[in-house]
Amino acid sequence: MDQALNNKSIRGLSSLLDALLVKNLITQEDYNLIKLESVNKSVPADQIVKEKAIVTSDDIAKLYSEMKGIGFIDLSSIGINIETLHKLEKDAAKNSMAIVFEELPNKFKVAMRDPLDLQRIKYLEAILGKKLEVYYASEDDINTIIESKYGAQITKDVDEALEQVGGDKLLDINAVQENEITSDPQNAPIIRIVNMILDYGIKNKASDIHIESREKKVNVRFRIRGILSEKLTIPKKLLPAVVSRIKILSNLKIDEHRVPQDGRFQVKLGEVIVDIRVSIMPNIYGEKIVMRLLSKTESVLKIEELGMRGINYSRMTEALKKTQGIIIVSGPTGSGKTQTLASSLKILNTPEVNIMTLEDPVEIRIDGITQVQVNPEVGLTFASGLRSFLRQDPDVIMVGEVRDSETAALAVQSALVGRLVLTTLHTNSASGSFIRLLDMGIEPFLLSSTIDLILAQRLVRVLCDNCKEAHEAAPEQMKELHEELDILNSFDIFNPDHTVKAHFDRSTEKVTLYKPKGCPKCNDTGYISRTGIFEALKMSETIARAVIQKQTIKEIQDLAISEGMITMVQDGYIKALEGITTLEEVIRVKNE
């Protein structure tokens, strides 16, 4: 909310919609439209304001605070003692949308979504045994603390479930399997344990869950924002039962323990629907499970929201304007290629264009596009599906991944006959994609005449603006910055006229970088989300000749840089100079 608007008083107003108008956060036209919608739908105008997300939940809480004359507390900026937080159980906190953030001798300070709910306040006072001093707080911040701070209690919850298993008594696995199928899920401990693992992974936006058998225990690790960390251990004797439960969910053979198995199932948590791909691999200590979590409700971001800008953005958008050719997005698994392709298709998705995609699996659904999921069991592979696509009169074809020479040849053929083809490759750099396709048997002259752009990318973690700390770049960091960035055309990190918003003291040639600290808003990690770093290699006559001559990756890379390409590392270092990420993050992902 614009702080300059705070001098316009809204004290005493009863309508959030009226407050927005007074604060100039909406226009009179918006106000009238919301009022009309409120009448037509017979719902309060304030409810429509919240549904449309016209302002953030933080702004809503601040507005109500001023309207009602009740204090506001920014939960994301304060540290809350875990013991104080747990004075109120998780279920009560969630049902009441309330957080206990401070305990005084004769009262508790409590942040609430609705501190005017007197019945709820009396209920909380009864279970807490003290009077409450209530404050408005952002609904998003309350939910974040409930899911992160209480979520940290997964070990405690699992321990309680383990007590129901029967202590150290060895399990009859066959009995457990029967119990899992027939019992009430709320009372079956194995089901509860698996559900809690999935619940924690989904709520914390994990991309993968690893359940790993060791010699004496089972580790459960979650990959969150690209980093794998252990959150839980369970007794080794429970592994067969947990594996059996996941096999049952995935419709796999529960009595097969000697060969790998792959399956999938789907879960729903609130409004979030998640596809879970399961891989089970036997090892010397039992079986290891890796579950990949794919949200079916994930939204399609705009290309600029991915972190793409400058020459990378202009080259990508120019390539998408063409009606034929190949655009390749390269990078390892988990580097954001699927989201980039979806964002690209969003630009192309108009009623005049027939877009068809072939994916494994369909991760992001886009209305208006024909999306097909491969199914090798019935013969629907990338190659066979792509062959059939050509009979469906497509203008744009997206192939999830080029894995073999047949699919690569068909993609090239599709581009030659006038289609725009978007696809992905698993290569470490943009220039490496040429060598990969040559290894698949594609003729060099075909690559030079069909490929228009290769975009390589990685994902780096974004620093939390609420708690990131400034520090002066060390001499070795300065050396690294100069080595990478001084070769850029007319680029000077000490030039105040440059578009990079670097923080520096020109007189001493010192640069300010940032490092993570940790706060409630980022779950004490120091990072709040992820963004992309990119390099866009555009086909030119010089690059085409180099491909035909089968020059090395290094030679092609040097040519691309001489023609203006910014490498992923350079893009990452520029983002570090701007305080978006850290040099350490860029170095970490460049070695993936």
Side-chain angles (χ1 to χ4, degrees), residues 71-274:
F72 169 82
I73 186 72
D74 183 0
L75 292 175
S76 67
S77 65
I78 62 172
I80 303 176
N81 182 279
I82 292 297
E83 290 185 6
T84 301
L85 179 72
H86 282 85
K87 295 292 183 180
L88 189 63
E89 293 292 333
K90 179 179 180 179
D91 288 343
K94 194 168 187 177
N95 292 334
S96 302
M97 288 302 291
I99 295 294
V100 179
F101 65 89
E102 187 176 343
E103 182 178 10
L104 300 174
N106 60 342
K107 64 183 177 181
F108 284 109
K109 289 187 177 182
V110 177
M112 300 182 68
R113 177 179 61 187
D114 183 10
L116 293 178
D117 188 340
L118 298 181
Q119 186 175 354
R120 182 65 63 181
I121 291 172
K122 288 181 180 179
Y123 163 74
L124 293 176
E125 286 178 339
I127 62 176
L128 289 170
K130 286 184 182 181
K131 290 291 185 181
L132 303 187
E133 182 179 318
V134 293
Y135 294 79
Y136 273 105
S138 159
E139 183 174 350
D140 286 347
D141 285 349
I142 292 173
N143 277 322
T144 296
I145 288 178
I146 289 173
E147 302 306 342
S148 61
K149 297 301 183 182
Y150 283 103
Q153 298 300 299
I154 183 173
T155 301
K156 176 184 175 183
D157 294 338
V158 169
D159 287 343
E160 291 175 358
L162 291 177
E163 291 178 6
Q164 298 182 28
V165 175
D168 295 329
K169 181 181 177 182
L170 290 176
L171 291 173
D172 181 343
I173 299 307
N174 292 324
V176 169
Q177 293 165 8
E178 181 67 20
N179 180 55
E180 289 176 335
I181 297 171
T182 61
S183 295
D184 178 357
Q186 297 302 319
N187 297 323
I190 298 302
I191 291 180
R192 285 184 58 204
I193 290 170
V194 173
N195 286 352
M196 283 186 285
I197 291 171
L198 293 172
D199 181 83
Y200 183 86
I202 294 169
K203 287 179 177 176
N204 287 275
K205 295 182 171 58
S207 61
D208 301 88
I209 300 173
H210 294 232
I211 302 176
E212 303 168 309
S213 55
R214 301 296 187 219
E215 184 176 4
K216 296 180 180 179
K217 63 180 180 178
V218 176
N219 294 340
V220 182
R221 298 195 287 174
F222 298 82
R223 189 178 296 280
I224 300 173
R225 299 190 191 101
I227 303 298
L228 196 60
S229 59
E230 184 178 315
K231 298 292 183 183
L232 175 70
T233 61
I234 57 179
K236 181 64 179 288
K237 66 187 179 68
L238 292 187
L239 177 66
V242 171
V243 171
S244 294
R245 172 61 182 164
I246 294 173
K247 284 181 178 179
I248 290 169
L249 291 171
S250 310
N251 198 27
L252 300 176
K253 297 178 180 178
I254 61 175
D255 58 348
E256 177 58 77
H257 308 289
R258 300 165 300 173
V259 298
Q261 295 190 70
D262 295 321
R264 63 184 63 197
F265 61 95
Q266 191 177 99
V267 297
K268 183 176 182 181
L269 183 63
E271 296 301 316
V272 179
I273 300 174
V274 179

Side-chain angles (χ1 to χ4, degrees), residues 444-470:
F445 73 91
L446 290 176
L447 295 180
S448 62
S449 60
T450 56
I451 292 177
D452 186 64
L453 183 76
I454 302 176
L455 183 81
Q457 67 176 80
R458 298 288 191 280
L459 291 177
V460 294
R461 291 180 292 173
V462 174
L463 285 165
C464 175
D465 284 331
N466 192 60
C467 66
K468 65 182 181 183
E469 291 185 331

